[in-house]
């Protein structure tokens, strides 16, 4: 365990230094960031500088480092990058019964913004981290801010992680958590007719899969809205953006290979719709969606392809590309990331208001 400390210290120090540098006045940040390469034209200077600083951090997808330690490194890196203003949001932790076939209870954290009506809409949210890393804790600051800005309850779910619990364990937990939220709507102050699903990255993948499961299962209420933040939508193929932004933009091609390899170790199963929602045969009848993507993100093209596929299936879709890096939902210490999150929160609120 002693050998792990240098990596942990490096991860924390790098994030603290990045936070300090990125808090400098905008013109200074732009000067330090420099001119972006042609493929990143339009990237916000804060995001460009963060990408340059992130290269100093220890690798987070290194097979020589145990997965449990990788999770600690991500948690240490994430903490300084999240804004933590005092917000009128009430927070409570809950335990959801295990999914069928599992013996592991599912943790969840409920965020209730001040003044939220009861019953009111509820977003069932799934964190990113490649199905291997991340937790309710790593996304705490961002979920608080999302709940506050949208004026919507957020239930953040701690689903089981790979490789200890490979695909489809996370999908089963997502369905179980959503079913529990519907059953316990009254206790949660939620309107069961206005349950939304959402998540970032791997969590966006789970939210998209869950929306289809809720459509097809008569025992579940249909979701009212989808908030898909740079979702992973196709684990079986590599879109051009994977190659275009393979390295140097926080999430890397190697990182995605590492995540997918742990989550769905059998390549033959990666084309299953519950792993790759873009490959589902029928997207008709799914709830309205807002799909956010980032300019220099390897997942950009598949997220935008999913938005286009939803639209072609007759689903109402809003899609927006931000001049940000993958992970901007969690880097709210940046003014530009907070602005992006505020836009996402507005889309969530508007979508749920329309579901009345």
């Amino acid at each position: 365990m002693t050998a792990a400390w240098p990596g942990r210290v490096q991860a924390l120090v790098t994030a603290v230094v990045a936070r300090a540098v990125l808090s400098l006045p905008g013109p200074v940040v732009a000067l330090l960031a420099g001119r972006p390469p042609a493929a990143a034209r339009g990237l916000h200077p804060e995001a460009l500088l963060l990408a340059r600083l992130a290269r100093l951090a220890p690798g987070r997808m290194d097979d020589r480092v145990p997965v449990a330690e990788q999770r600690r490194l991500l948690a240490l890196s994430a903490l300084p990058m999240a804004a933590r203003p005092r917000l009128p949001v009430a927070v409570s932790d809950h335990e959801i019964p295990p999914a069928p076939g599992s013996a592991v209870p599912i943790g969840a954290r409920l965020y209730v913004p001040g003044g939220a009506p009861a019953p009111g809409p509820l977003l069932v949210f799934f964190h990113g981290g490649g199905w291997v890393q991340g937790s309710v804790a790593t996304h705490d600051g961002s979920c608080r801010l999302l709940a506050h800005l949208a004026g919507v309850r957020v239930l953040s779910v701690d689903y089981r992680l790979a490789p200890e619990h490979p695909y489809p364990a996370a999908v089963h937990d997502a369905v179980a958590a959503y079913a529990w939220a519907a059953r316990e709507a009254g206790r949660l102050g939620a309107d069961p007719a206005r349950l939304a699903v959402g998540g970032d990255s791997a969590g966006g993948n789970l939210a998209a899969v869950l929306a289809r499961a809720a459509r097809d299962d008569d025992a579940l209420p249909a979701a009212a809205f989808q908030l898909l933040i740079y979702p992973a939508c196709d684990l079986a193929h590599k879109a051009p953006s994977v190659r275009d932004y393979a390295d140097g933009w926080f999430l890397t091609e190697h990182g995605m290979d590492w995540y997918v390899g742990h989550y769905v170790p059998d390549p033959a199963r990666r084309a299953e719709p519950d792993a790759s929602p873009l490959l589902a045969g029928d997207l008709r009848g799914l709830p309205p969606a807002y799909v956010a993507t980032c300019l220099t993100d390897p997942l950009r093209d598949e997220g935008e392809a999913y938005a286009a596929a939803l639209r072609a299936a007759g689903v109402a879709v809003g899609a927006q590309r931000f001049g940000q890096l993958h992970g901007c939902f969690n880097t709210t210490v940046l003014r530009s990331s907070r602005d992006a999150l505020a836009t996402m929160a507005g889309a969530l609120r508007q979508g749920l208001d329309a579901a009345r």
Side-chain angles (χ1 to χ4, degrees):
M1 188 58 66
T2 303
W5 279 105
R8 295 181 192 178
V9 171
Q10 184 184 359
L12 182 59
V13 169
T14 301
V16 169
V17 169
R19 176 174 182 142
V21 171
L22 289 160
S23 67
L24 294 170
V28 178
V29 168
L31 182 64
L32 293 174
R35 180 175 297 181
R41 210 163 279 151
L43 188 66
H44 195 281
E46 290 179 337
L48 178 58
L49 182 55
L50 179 59
R52 300 197 193 285
L53 293 170
R55 295 171 191 171
L56 304 176
R60 293 184 298 107
M61 283 73 72
D62 187 337
D63 286 326
R64 295 170 297 180
V65 180
V67 168
E69 183 62 21
Q70 302 260 14
R71 291 174 185 147
R72 294 187 189 97
L73 292 175
L74 175 64
L76 286 169
S77 298
L79 187 63
M81 296 308 298
R84 296 190 177 273
R86 292 184 178 274
L87 298 172
V89 176
V91 180
S92 57
D93 289 328
H94 300 263
E95 185 173 278
I96 299 171
S102 169
V104 182
I106 305 165
R109 185 168 292 172
L110 178 67
Y111 303 87
V112 182
L122 171 72
L123 171 69
V124 183
F125 182 88
F126 303 95
H127 65 78
W131 310 273
V132 177
Q133 301 170 320
S135 66
V136 163
T138 61
H139 285 59
D140 180 78
S142 298
C143 284
R144 288 174 190 259
L145 189 55
L146 177 63
H148 172 68
L149 292 173
V152 169
R153 287 170 173 79
V154 174
L155 183 72
S156 181
V157 178
D158 247 339
Y159 55 89
R160 285 174 290 168
L161 299 177
E164 298 93 334
H165 305 284
Y167 168 84
V171 174
H172 293 165
D173 282 3
V175 173
Y178 182 79
W180 178 85
R183 289 195 307 271
E184 299 292 331
R187 184 160 68 90
L188 299 174
D191 177 357
R194 287 196 289 162
L195 296 180
V197 297
D200 66 308
S201 193
N205 167 282
L206 294 174
V209 170
L210 175 57
R212 198 180 70 256
R215 178 199 65 181
D216 296 341
D217 188 341
D218 291 339
L220 295 174
F225 190 73
Q226 304 176 73
L227 177 66
L228 307 180
I229 303 170
Y230 38 82
C233 294
D234 186 353
L235 309 191
H237 307 95
K238 292 186 177 182
S241 59
V242 176
R243 305 294 187 190
D244 293 343
Y245 305 105
D247 195 26
W249 305 104
F250 185 66
L251 179 64
T252 65
E253 180 181 9
H254 166 73
M256 276 307 300
D257 290 344
W258 189 85
Y259 286 134
V260 172
H262 281 81
Y263 179 52
V264 194
D266 181 358
R269 302 198 67 184
R270 294 174 189 169
E272 293 180 5
D274 281 354
S276 297
L278 180 59
L279 305 183
D282 184 6
L283 300 178
R284 292 173 298 177
L286 288 174
Y290 175 80
V291 182
T293 58
C294 294
L295 174 63
T296 58
D297 184 356
L299 300 186
R300 184 192 74 191
D301 289 355
E302 61 197 79
E304 293 177 358
Y306 190 63
L310 287 172
R311 195 175 289 116
V315 177
V317 180
Q320 191 163 2
R321 180 190 292 182
F322 292 92
Q324 292 290 327
L325 303 174
H326 184 96
C328 67
F329 182 75
N330 269 11
T331 57
T332 50
V333 69
L334 305 185
R335 291 175 289 269
S336 58
S337 291
R338 292 196 300 274
D339 289 345
L341 196 154
T343 301
M344 298 172 198
L348 173 64
R349 181 58 181 262
Q350 184 176 12
L352 286 169
D353 282 348
R356 286 179 178 170

